[in-house]
Amino acid sequence: DQQVKQNSPSLSVQEGRISILNCDYTNSMFDYFLWYKKYPAEGPTFLISISSIKDKNEDGRFTVFLNKSAKHLSLHIVPSQPGDSAVYFCAARRSSYKLIFGSGTRLLVRP
Amino acid sequence: GAGVSQSPSNKVTEKGKDVELRCDPISGHTALYWYRQSLGQGLEFLIYFQGNSAPDKSGLPSDRFSAERTGGSVSTLTIQRTQQEDSAVYLCASSLAGTSGNTGELFFGEGSRLTVL
């Protein structure tokens, strides 16, 4: 039972444009959501998070949107840069329970 | 160092042998996770230690897999009688999850790449 789903395995965008990565979840009890970025041969690194009491959180070029009624969150990167090319994982958790990850989306930002 | 440390970084073993992977979490972190990433796949949850609570072992794929966390710090993931399908990168992460006011962000190590021939 995949509770966190990233249905797009890959995404390619032009440098300077917006990248939108999507994530869906099934467990309405999740109360915290995170995005991680992973480069090859490295561990994932934390990017941005959002609590279920909010619908938007912004940090520089990165914004996460949460739509609780649709059980959907998205990560927007504006403007996209070639260095943003990586695999992006969304993750969700309930209280102090385990963090569950999606399968990841590989982003390629073309110069 | 200040981060999560994992060893070995690379391990090649023969099918049927046992392997041990070690994780040194960030000092003071109460929660410790093991995940694995097979080639082209996402992060698969294996096991979760939180303080003194019983670990959540729901992600361990078979009884050949076990993990322990000694003294609330270092953790060892053991795979007995390794199989080729065990080949993956095994990632350890730690966090302050569960402490009041903390968001529970996970800090990952660089992983241990296991290859079973």
Side-chain angles (χ1 to χ4, degrees):
Chain A
D1 176 28
Q2 208 175 353
Q3 297 187 60
V4 179
K5 300 177 185 178
Q6 293 177 259
N7 293 319
S8 298
S10 63
L11 174 68
S12 180
V13 300
Q14 192 73 37
E15 181 179 5
R17 300 289 184 94
I18 184 171
S19 294
I20 300 177
L21 297 106
N22 294 303
C23 180
D24 296 292
Y25 61 95
T26 58
N27 190 338
S28 59
M29 299 297 289
F30 286 145
D31 57 9
Y32 207 77
F33 304 87
L34 304 90
W35 283 93
Y36 279 78
K37 180 166 76 170
K38 185 181 186 300
Y39 292 117
E42 296 183 9
T45 55
F46 171 75
L47 195 55
I48 192 169
S49 63
I50 188 167
S51 164
S52 60
I53 62 174
K54 293 187 176 181
D55 55 18
K56 176 183 175 181
N57 188 25
E58 190 172 354
D59 183 2
R61 297 186 297 114
F62 302 90
T63 303
V64 56
F65 296 91
L66 176 62
N67 182 335
K68 289 188 291 293
S69 60
K71 294 191 182 70
H72 177 83
L73 68 155
S74 60
L75 174 68
H76 292 208
I77 307 173
V78 183
S80 302
Q81 299 173 355
D84 296 330
S85 297
V87 177
Y88 289 79
F89 292 96
C90 71
R93 55 188 285 261
R94 171 169 76 96
S95 184
S96 62
Y97 286 77
K98 65 193 179 195
L99 193 62
I100 299 174
F101 284 82
S103 55
T105 296
R106 183 177 301 277
L107 173 66
L108 174 65
V109 180
R110 306 185 307 273
Chain B
V4 177
S5 178
Q6 291 188 245
S7 61
S9 55
N10 275 287
K11 176 71 176 179
V12 180
T13 191
E14 292 179 349
K15 178 182 172 181
K17 295 287 181 69
D18 297 351
V19 296
E20 281 190 355
L21 307 176
R22 176 188 168 103
C23 174
D24 280 276
I26 293 173
S27 178
H29 278 192
T30 56
L32 186 147
Y33 295 76
W34 283 97
Y35 292 87
R36 75 175 175 182
Q37 186 177 24
S38 302
L39 188 64
Q41 302 298 311
L43 294 173
E44 177 188 3
F45 168 77
L46 297 177
I47 189 169
Y48 166 45
F49 296 90
Q50 172 55 49
N52 295 321
S53 302
D56 180 343
K57 302 180 181 179
S58 60
L60 294 179
S62 77
D63 58 7
R64 297 186 295 105
F65 287 73
S66 62
E68 60 179 27
R69 188 179 185 191
T70 54
S73 181
V74 172
S75 178
T76 302
L77 177 69
T78 301
I79 309 172
Q80 296 179 309
R81 305 180 302 282
T82 52
Q83 303 294 313
Q84 289 183 332
E85 60 263 29
D86 300 334
S87 297
V89 176
Y90 289 81
L91 290 157
C92 176
S94 69
S95 81
L96 286 167
T99 45
S100 176
N102 188 274
T103 60
E105 173 193 342
L106 265 62
F107 295 82
F108 281 86
E110 295 193 344
S112 293
R113 180 176 296 277
L114 174 66
T115 303
V116 182
L117 301 176

